Amino acid sequence: MNPLTSAQQMPFETLTQDAYRQLEHAASLKGLLKPFKGKGELEHLAQMAREIEAQLCDLMEAVVQQAGQPPYSLLDIRLVLQNTSAGSTFLRWRTRDFARMGVSVWERQVCNKAVPQVVREGLRRFECNRIALNLQMSVVHSLYRQATTCAIKMDSAERLLRQFTTAVEISR
């Protein structure tokens, strides 16, 4: 029996709503769309974004583990986690020898006639999960960076006002 055809016996576990349930409660735009009174609220928002990033990483790890199981582990590609210099993590396709990276690596496998249709379908589902998780990570990481930057700016504005107020009171 061709080991690649064993995908028919191994059900593909998609990321269901249950996998996202914990994230759903933590990530509410309601907390974003309000007037922020100071840097503390923005720091709290940044902390929430960091926690959501960690949860997204857990989901990404689950997808990577599943993509590392037979029959997918028998292919010439790997789904891997890549940490960026900006401090976030993304899912990337790589060749087994790590010589190439990107969607073209995935496309080559999906278009390979030697790969059974059921395996190609599994690869498509992995790619859809990869796309969605990378989008979510990008948005949440951007929110983190923006909240952190805004907290610094608010702190600077508050500090400048205090300094000016102190200088005015001293000069009286």
Side-chain angles (χ1 to χ4, degrees), residues 66-83:
Q66 195 172 12
Q69 299 295 316
Y72 308 104
S73 62
L74 302 173
L75 300 172
D76 189 37
I77 62 172
R78 298 289 175 263
L79 190 58
V80 298
L81 293 170
Q82 181 185 26
N83 297 318

Side-chain angles (χ1 to χ4, degrees), residues 8-25:
Q8 293 169 338
Q9 288 120 17
M10 182 183 165
F12 180 88
E13 297 175 30
T14 58
L15 292 178
T16 64
Q17 189 59 35
D18 286 340
Y20 280 93
R21 190 129 357 254
Q22 190 175 10
L23 283 168
E24 185 180 285
H25 294 295

Side-chain angles (χ1 to χ4, degrees), residues 9 14 23 28 34 61-62 67 89-90 100 106 116 122 163 170:
Q9 288 120 17
T14 58
L23 283 168
S28 168
K34 68 176 187 172
E61 293 249 356
T89 303
F90 291 99
R100 291 197 174 108
W106 172 83
Q163 288 171 353
I170 291 173

Side-chain angles (χ1 to χ4, degrees), residues 32-58:
L32 173 63
L33 303 175
K34 68 176 187 172
F36 290 98
K37 296 177 180 127
K39 78 170 189 164
E41 289 181 351
L42 287 164
E43 289 171 339
H44 177 70
L45 179 62
Q47 179 59 35
M48 282 181 25
R50 271 295 191 217
E51 291 169 8
I52 294 168
E53 278 185 328
Q55 292 171 342
L56 283 169
C57 277
D58 290 345

Side-chain angles (χ1 to χ4, degrees), residues 86-158:
S88 58
T89 303
F90 291 99
L91 288 169
R92 301 281 190 244
W93 290 108
R94 291 196 149 233
T95 56
R96 186 186 300 225
D97 64 4
F98 282 75
R100 291 197 174 108
M101 181 175 76
V103 175
S104 63
V105 170
W106 172 83
E107 288 171 347
R108 222 172 276 123
Q109 287 297 303
V110 170
C111 295
N112 182 346
K113 291 179 183 177
V115 175
Q117 181 63 29
V118 67
V119 175
R120 283 185 271 175
E121 265 304 306
L123 288 172
R124 183 196 60 79
R125 288 187 299 257
F126 283 126
E127 176 62 358
C128 289
N129 280 326
R130 186 192 73 78
I131 291 166
L133 286 165
N134 283 353
L135 162 76
Q136 291 162 337
M137 181 61 79
S138 180
V139 168
V140 171
H141 189 72
S142 179
L143 178 60
Y144 165 77
R145 282 193 333 256
Q146 291 293 324
T148 301
T149 300
C150 289
I152 291 166
K153 289 176 180 179
M154 275 195 184
D155 186 48
S156 179
E158 291 168 8

